[in-house]
Amino acid sequence: MMKYLDRTRNEANDGSDRPVIIYRLAETYLLAAEAAYKMNDLPNAAKYINVIRERARDKENSVEGALDIQPSEVTLEYILEERTRELLAEHCRWNDLARTGTLLQRVRVYDNHVARVNIADKHWLRPIPRDQIERTTTGEPYPQNPEW
């Protein structure tokens, strides 16, 4: 994976002038596709996905529309797979899977390491840091998420 490669750095801890990716236009299109899918608007869901796929197409060696998908192909699973391809190694994967209710199932199917056997229902929520809980000094004690 080359998208984070910084050839100006000599060692791993050297500083970098590369910008940090906070949010990308492709993520906006994918969220719009997910919203359209959930509203049963499959033509628009496919349209948003196709915008991203067209941008990624090798324009010198392929025909316009060669990567397009049809509305009948759009599923939540397909959108999550497209997010995997487009947003690889970016910061949003746990949020995507938790938001769509697919976290446990996808980790158990696709992880082939430690997470597969260790994921539990409590992982839908993350633990609240103890120091954050202890800083709440008025009213009821701030609760920890279940099972944490």
Side-chain angles (χ1 to χ4, degrees):
M1 184 175 65
M2 306 292 284
K3 70 178 169 183
Y4 295 119
L5 183 63
D6 184 350
R7 289 183 168 80
T8 66
R9 295 173 57 184
N10 295 323
E11 295 182 26
N13 293 325
D14 284 354
S16 174
D17 293 338
R18 293 208 43 184
V20 175
I21 299 169
I22 301 294
Y23 202 80
R24 298 204 297 113
L25 182 59
E27 187 169 6
T28 304
Y29 278 111
L30 288 165
L31 285 171
E34 185 180 328
Y37 168 77
K38 288 184 176 183
M39 294 182 349
N40 206 28
D41 183 1
L42 300 183
N44 271 325
K47 179 182 77 171
Y48 296 134
I49 292 170
N50 288 337
V51 168
I52 298 165
R53 295 176 71 82
E54 180 61 25
R55 184 228 2 115
R57 177 178 62 85
D58 178 0
K59 291 169 184 55
E60 293 178 18
N61 298 313
S62 65
V63 178
E64 184 175 341
L67 298 177
D68 285 1
I69 65 165
Q70 299 303 312
S72 61
E73 297 176 78
V74 177
T75 63
L76 181 59
E77 180 79 13
Y78 189 92
I79 293 168
L80 289 171
E81 294 296 328
E82 194 67 25
R83 289 186 72 84
T84 300
R85 288 184 286 273
E86 184 65 30
L87 305 173
L88 178 66
E90 295 183 18
H91 62 281
C92 52
R93 190 66 176 164
W94 182 88
N95 293 326
D96 295 339
L97 298 180
R99 181 187 71 250
T100 58
T102 59
L103 176 69
L104 298 175
Q105 178 261 332
R106 288 183 71 86
V107 168
R108 288 177 180 143
V109 169
Y110 295 110
D111 183 78
N112 55 5
H113 298 291
V114 177
R116 173 183 286 179
V117 296
N118 289 315
I119 192 134
D121 289 345
K122 71 178 186 176
H123 292 114
W124 286 108
L125 298 173
R126 291 184 170 163
I128 300 169
R130 180 175 272 321
D131 65 331
Q132 179 66 38
I133 292 172
E134 291 171 352
R135 288 181 187 162
T136 305
T137 58
T138 60
E140 293 291 319
Y142 200 83
Q144 179 57 272
N145 282 326
E147 299 182 45
W148 289 103

